[in-house]
Amino acid sequence: MEERKNTSILFIRVHWIYLSLFFLIFSITFFINFLDLKERLNSSIITATSERVHTNFFLRLMSTEIGPLKSSIKEEDEPSISQAVFLTFTNIWPEDIRTFLGREIPGFSTFNTEIAIAGLGTDLTTLPIESAPPLEMLLKEKEQAEKDQDQPKGTEEKGASPIPKTGKDVAYIYHSHSWEAFLPLLPGKKTANEAVSLNESKNIIAVGKKLKDELMKRGIGASHSTSNVTEELKKKNWNYNHSYALSRETVKEVMAQNSSINYLIDIHRDSQPKKLTTTMINGKPFARLFFIVGKENINYERNLALAKELNKKLEEKYPGISRGVFVKTKDDGNGVYNQDLSSQSMLLEFGGIENNNTELDHSIEAFAEIFSEYYWDAEEVSGNEG
């Protein structure tokens, strides 16, 4: 009897030590961040720890004070406290090879992308590929070849458009990587690195223009940026890594001038080949699309919910059109994507480098249809219709 009592006392003391250590780690992290030191502990480490540690770990700790909780703990799923502490300090999870190599092998960080919803054929081997920054020599050739085209230089589309049922612009379409283009529209170009253009009829700006037109047809007021990001970056002596900082300036300016804008849509295209970015639906070819949600901002949960809802509606009506919903942290991308500016933000990628206008148009029309249904349903619920 005395031996069982001593064992119980030791068990409680050990768990109190682990509990104290656990809270000490969180306290240290809090104060380091609270003091606004230049080099902070990354909060994503703590988040990763909390997400990966089995629920039983926390139940086991709490059960030392709340006895009835012990009945809800499955002994076969006994959590490893040592693993939890190890992950917190090292951000390495023994069961996930990505945490060992992600920061050491160039390009391996791509596999940190979280698949929130997997579309048909989507797995770790078919993740989105970030487009390469435009090659300086190629851009010079493009600039020389396109000087005679007299393209408009404005940063926002002008001209007659249908009067929207909304009576105002509620969506803003823009392109953080406006140079992203499509090989079928660029004669003689064959590689992903060559799929860049300053021609608005051949790059991703054309997709944004089509989307704006389709939304306007459905009564949704939308404005569209045609800003040449490449030129704007050069003016500021910024490089490719400042693309989102540049588009952020534009978005903030537009939102300040037009308080009715709630939906922010950053349009891109992927660099994966056609076999992954194209599908047939009801006998028609579609450029597949997908959503990117940044995890490093206060609107993450609501933006993720929006992407999931739109993705669900798209798949219900156009099975296979979506490659899914992906979540990115700053470890494998920007992590914010200006989505902190609105809780109704999305980064939407249409097709890939090998998709043509027909495939893109079908997908743009499909998305515009689904988005308009979602928008008007939401307006009806909120009582703002008309």
Side-chain angles (χ1 to χ4, degrees), residues 32-277:
I32 288 178
N33 284 275
F34 181 77
L35 292 174
D36 198 30
L37 297 179
K38 184 176 181 180
E39 297 295 332
R40 298 181 174 189
L41 283 178
N42 188 349
S43 61
S44 63
I45 295 177
I46 303 302
T47 301
T49 303
S50 301
E51 290 178 346
R52 291 179 180 274
V53 174
H54 197 282
T55 304
N56 282 356
F57 170 76
F58 300 102
L59 289 175
R60 176 65 66 183
L61 292 176
M62 295 172 65
S63 68
T64 59
E65 292 296 320
I66 308 175
L69 285 178
K70 292 181 180 179
S71 61
S72 63
I73 302 174
K74 297 179 181 179
E75 293 300 325
E76 62 269 22
D77 291 333
E78 180 72 22
S80 171
I81 297 177
S82 60
Q83 276 190 331
V85 174
F86 180 75
L87 174 60
T88 302
F89 279 113
T90 66
N91 201 24
I92 293 176
W93 193 252
E95 298 174 356
D96 190 344
I97 191 174
R98 294 176 296 177
T99 61
F100 286 93
L101 304 176
R103 295 179 294 274
E104 308 301 328
I105 301 177
F108 199 86
S109 60
T110 301
F111 296 101
N112 290 334
T113 299
E114 177 185 338
I115 304 175
I117 296 180
L120 182 64
T122 296
D123 55 34
L124 288 177
T125 66
T126 59
L127 291 174
I129 297 179
E130 179 80 8
S131 61
L135 304 177
E136 288 302 316
M137 183 179 298
L138 181 59
L139 285 176
K140 287 179 181 179
E141 293 175 358
K142 296 289 183 185
E143 289 168 355
Q144 185 62 39
E146 294 166 359
K147 277 183 179 179
D148 299 328
Q149 295 188 12
D150 296 324
Q151 296 184 52
K153 297 295 183 179
T155 60
E156 190 170 325
E157 284 184 0
K158 305 295 182 181
S161 295
I163 298 176
K165 185 179 177 182
T166 57
K168 54 193 174 183
D169 289 344
V170 297
Y172 183 64
I173 302 167
Y174 66 103
H175 311 277
S176 294
H177 297 161
S178 67
W179 58 78
E180 293 177 339
F182 303 90
L183 291 175
L185 308 181
L186 304 172
K189 306 304 179 183
K190 298 180 180 180
T191 67
N193 285 344
E194 293 178 302
V196 297
S197 176
L198 302 183
N199 189 327
E200 294 176 10
S201 66
K202 298 180 180 181
N203 63 27
I204 198 65
I205 291 177
V207 174
K209 181 181 185 303
K210 172 73 173 177
L211 178 57
K212 175 196 171 183
D213 292 344
E214 292 297 325
L215 292 179
M216 296 290 282
K217 288 178 185 177
R218 293 166 173 80
I220 298 177
S223 54
H224 175 220
S225 171
T226 61
S227 177
N228 184 327
V229 175
T230 305
E231 289 184 355
E232 295 303 318
L233 286 173
K234 286 184 177 180
K235 288 178 183 178
K236 292 179 174 290
N237 198 27
W238 285 359
N239 61 27
Y240 160 82
N241 296 321
H242 292 90
S243 300
Y244 289 102
L246 180 65
S247 62
R248 184 182 186 84
E249 291 182 355
T250 303
V251 172
K252 290 180 71 174
E253 182 179 350
V254 169
M255 294 185 74
Q257 295 174 353
N258 194 339
S259 60
S260 63
I261 289 178
N262 294 313
Y263 291 91
L264 303 178
I265 309 176
D266 191 1
I267 303 292
H268 295 248
R269 66 105 176 96
D270 194 22
S271 291
Q272 287 281 22
K274 191 166 186 173
K275 64 180 180 180
L276 295 179
T277 65

Side-chain angles (χ1 to χ4, degrees), residues 260-331:
S260 63
I261 289 178
N262 294 313
Y263 291 91
L264 303 178
I265 309 176
D266 191 1
I267 303 292
H268 295 248
R269 66 105 176 96
D270 194 22
S271 291
Q272 287 281 22
K274 191 166 186 173
K275 64 180 180 180
L276 295 179
T277 65
T278 314
T279 190
M280 294 293 293
I281 305 174
N282 298 326
K284 295 169 61 176
F286 284 74
R288 302 182 72 190
L289 52 81
F290 61 87
F291 300 84
I292 295 290
V293 181
K295 199 171 187 176
E296 309 281 356
N297 68 85
I298 59 174
N299 291 322
Y300 163 63
E301 294 290 347
R302 294 181 65 181
N303 286 327
L304 178 61
L306 172 63
K308 286 183 175 180
E309 182 64 18
L310 290 173
N311 187 82
K312 177 184 176 182
K313 291 180 179 296
L314 279 163
E315 282 293 302
E316 287 174 351
K317 198 156 190 176
Y318 299 93
I321 192 174
S322 176
R323 289 171 59 196
V325 178
F326 302 91
V327 175
K328 287 179 175 284
T329 67
K330 64 182 180 181
D331 292 331

